[in-house]
Amino acid sequence: LEKIMVDEALASLSVTEKEMLLLRYMNEESVATISELYHCSRFSTYRTIKGAIKKFRDFLEVKGQDE
């Protein structure tokens, strides 16, 4: 059940948000490296990652309340 919720939460993110999260936390890439890959500033990358984390947590929180 938890895996399904995590998969649904990931699916709720944009492709870029999902990729940046996976690069940052699964591949342990630095924000600087990710920003180079996406040709954007480190600040923009950081904001995207933090926003994705918030969306991910909010999704899980709402789903958890529904059950």
Side-chain angles (χ1 to χ4, degrees), residues 4-65:
I4 293 170
M5 287 178 59
V6 169
D7 288 344
E8 288 177 3
L10 283 173
S12 73
L13 302 175
S14 73
V15 172
T16 301
E17 290 171 328
K18 192 182 320 181
E19 288 175 348
M20 284 187 176
L21 271 184
L22 293 175
L23 284 168
R24 181 74 177 122
Y25 296 105
M26 297 298 289
N27 295 15
E28 298 181 354
E29 296 291 343
S30 68
V31 171
T33 299
I34 297 168
S35 65
E36 287 176 20
L37 289 170
Y38 284 88
H39 306 288
C40 59
S41 69
R42 287 186 302 229
F43 182 72
S44 176
T45 301
Y46 178 80
R47 261 195 351 229
T48 301
I49 292 169
K50 289 301 175 188
I53 291 169
K54 181 175 179 356
K55 283 171 67 174
F56 187 86
R57 285 182 179 155
D58 289 349
F59 183 92
L60 291 178
E61 195 173 287
V62 169
K63 276 292 198 182
Q65 290 174 358

